[in-house]
Amino acid sequence: MLREVKEFCKEHHWMTGIHEFLQAWGPQKLESMRGCPIKDYIMLVSHVSMWQTRVSNVPKKLITKGRLLLLSCHHIQAEMESKLDSIRKDILTHLQNECWTRSQQLITELTDFTEAFQTINSDIHTIARCSQKLNKANKQYAELEKRMEYIRALHELIRNHFSLFSAENEALDVSLLDVWEAFQFEKSQASEILLSKQNSIVPKLQQLIAAALAELEGLIEKALSGPFMDPAQEQRSMECQLISLERQFHNTASHLSELHHAYATFTGTEDSHPLHHHPVRDPPTEIRVLCPECP
């Protein structure tokens, strides 16, 4: 009798490993796996599925020879089956949430790029913004593609290992793929359009850069001459006018920076900045005066 019980326990000793896993399981386990390689999810799901099968095949009871002892496994078997089923559902919910969150975030970013690529027209400022977006998209392309592949792998994992792919999941997968293809197409179109316009855009950008530089110099000259250098002028009025000049100076400097980024994108001179070749003096102290009482 005792030998039969020992043999039964030895044969089913593998259940202790599952029991330890179930005891250690908690929400933090899935949270720690967020963003992990797909193979780690597959391994976890495969183990849970295998354990469910093995536990369900455990005899519900053992009756020793001579019917002297009844060893019931029903309670522990039912408990383990329930916990494994709950964990499987937790994993599915986690994977679905990961798919939804990551898909929505990526769709938003790709749509932002796509809309920028679709707004190319003859306006130099719009073209400049588009060229910056294109440059950014090219730099981030490998990372965007990697995120796209990861999300689709999550979808495939749900489809293959849970035999459950709802209409909502399917629609999200299709939507993501459509947005990705649109992004690729519009990026390619924008590249071709910008390349075709390069010969006319570069000279125009050079003109705008020169005009912005001249405006900055003019603002500084204005702040260092005329009534601003006359101590007899009313101080409050001069301070307010200088604040206005300061704002204009920074707006023009910001515009110049945008033009430079566009120029660098078209010419490939990333290290070249207009101010390096046409240095503009820093705004004098007077133009940086802040008058807290002025708007």
Side-chain angles (χ1 to χ4, degrees):
M1 177 180 68
L2 183 59
R3 182 177 58 81
E4 291 179 73
V5 172
K6 287 183 176 179
E7 287 180 356
F8 182 87
C9 291
K10 182 179 180 181
E11 183 181 350
H12 296 89
H13 181 70
W14 51 267
M15 293 180 69
T16 59
I18 300 177
H19 179 72
E20 290 173 358
F21 171 84
L22 295 176
Q23 291 297 108
W25 181 264
Q28 72 283 354
K29 174 64 177 177
L30 282 176
E31 186 60 35
S32 68
M33 292 184 68
R34 194 177 298 277
C36 72
I38 296 298
K39 63 181 179 62
D40 291 356
Y41 280 126
I42 293 177
M43 185 179 299
L44 175 62
V45 173
S46 298
H47 280 157
V48 171
S49 297
M50 178 186 66
W51 292 337
Q52 284 182 302
T53 300
R54 295 191 70 182
V55 170
S56 66
N57 290 329
V58 172
K60 289 183 170 47
K61 61 184 177 180
L62 169 67
I63 302 176
T64 61
K65 292 180 180 179
R67 296 180 176 274
L68 294 176
L69 178 66
L70 169 64
L71 182 64
S72 176
C73 302
H74 174 72
H75 176 71
I76 189 171
Q77 183 185 42
E79 182 182 3
M80 293 179 77
E81 284 181 328
S82 175
K83 288 184 177 180
L84 285 170
D85 184 61
S86 177
I87 289 174
R88 186 176 174 83
K89 290 177 180 178
D90 288 344
I91 296 172
L92 175 59
T93 299
H94 171 82
L95 292 173
Q96 289 176 324
N97 289 339
E98 276 283 82
C99 285
W100 176 260
T101 302
R102 290 176 181 272
S103 293
Q104 291 301 319
Q105 185 176 11
L106 185 56
I107 285 174
T108 298
E109 293 178 36
L110 293 176
T111 301
D112 181 58
F113 278 122
T114 301
E115 290 176 349
F117 298 152
Q118 292 173 333
T119 58
I120 297 180
N121 52 38
S122 58
D123 178 67
I124 191 68
H125 300 292
T126 303
I127 293 175
R129 285 192 293 272
C130 180
S131 68
Q132 291 176 49
K133 276 288 188 181
L134 181 61
N135 192 37
K136 182 179 180 181
N138 286 330
K139 288 181 178 179
Q140 295 183 357
Y141 185 82
E143 184 262 338
L144 292 170
E145 186 176 39
K146 184 178 179 180
R147 289 166 60 189
M148 169 71 178
E149 291 173 350
Y150 185 83
I151 294 170
R152 301 214 72 207
L154 287 174
H155 280 145
E156 197 65 19
L157 173 61
I158 294 173
R159 185 184 288 111
N160 293 338
H161 291 267
F162 289 89
S163 301
L164 175 65
F165 207 64
S166 65
E168 185 179 13
N169 291 133
E170 192 68 48
L172 183 62
D173 191 29
V174 171
S175 176
L176 178 61
L177 185 58
D178 288 345
V179 172
W180 175 254
E181 291 177 347
F183 162 73
Q184 290 182 304
F185 175 77
E186 295 297 342
K187 186 171 79 70
S188 176
Q189 290 291 99
S191 296
E192 292 181 9
I193 293 173
L194 291 175
L195 184 62
S196 68
K197 291 177 175 290
Q198 184 170 357
N199 290 337
S200 60
I201 291 175
V202 171
K204 180 64 176 178
L205 283 171
Q206 290 173 330
Q207 293 176 10
L208 291 172
I209 288 172
L213 287 166
E215 183 178 348
L216 291 177
E217 285 287 2
L219 289 171
I220 293 175
E221 291 297 332
K222 184 176 181 180
L224 294 174
S225 63
F228 298 107
M229 304 302 291
D230 183 0
Q233 294 292 325
E234 200 275 317
Q235 182 179 357
R236 177 179 170 78
S237 175
M238 292 299 98
E239 287 179 346
C240 290
Q241 291 183 54
L242 282 170
I243 286 178
S244 178
L245 288 176
E246 180 197 22
R247 290 171 179 166
Q248 191 175 347
F249 182 93
H250 287 300
N251 288 338
T252 302
S254 177
H255 176 56
L256 176 62
S257 181
E258 291 180 1
L259 292 172
H260 161 250
H261 286 310
Y263 182 84
T265 300
F266 284 114
T267 61
T269 53
E270 292 293 340
D271 296 329
S272 176
H273 194 286
L275 293 182
H276 294 164
H277 304 291
H278 305 278
V280 175
R281 289 170 291 167
D282 289 333
T285 304
E286 288 83 353
I287 204 171
R288 294 196 298 269
V289 171
L290 293 179
C291 176
E293 298 180 4
C294 298

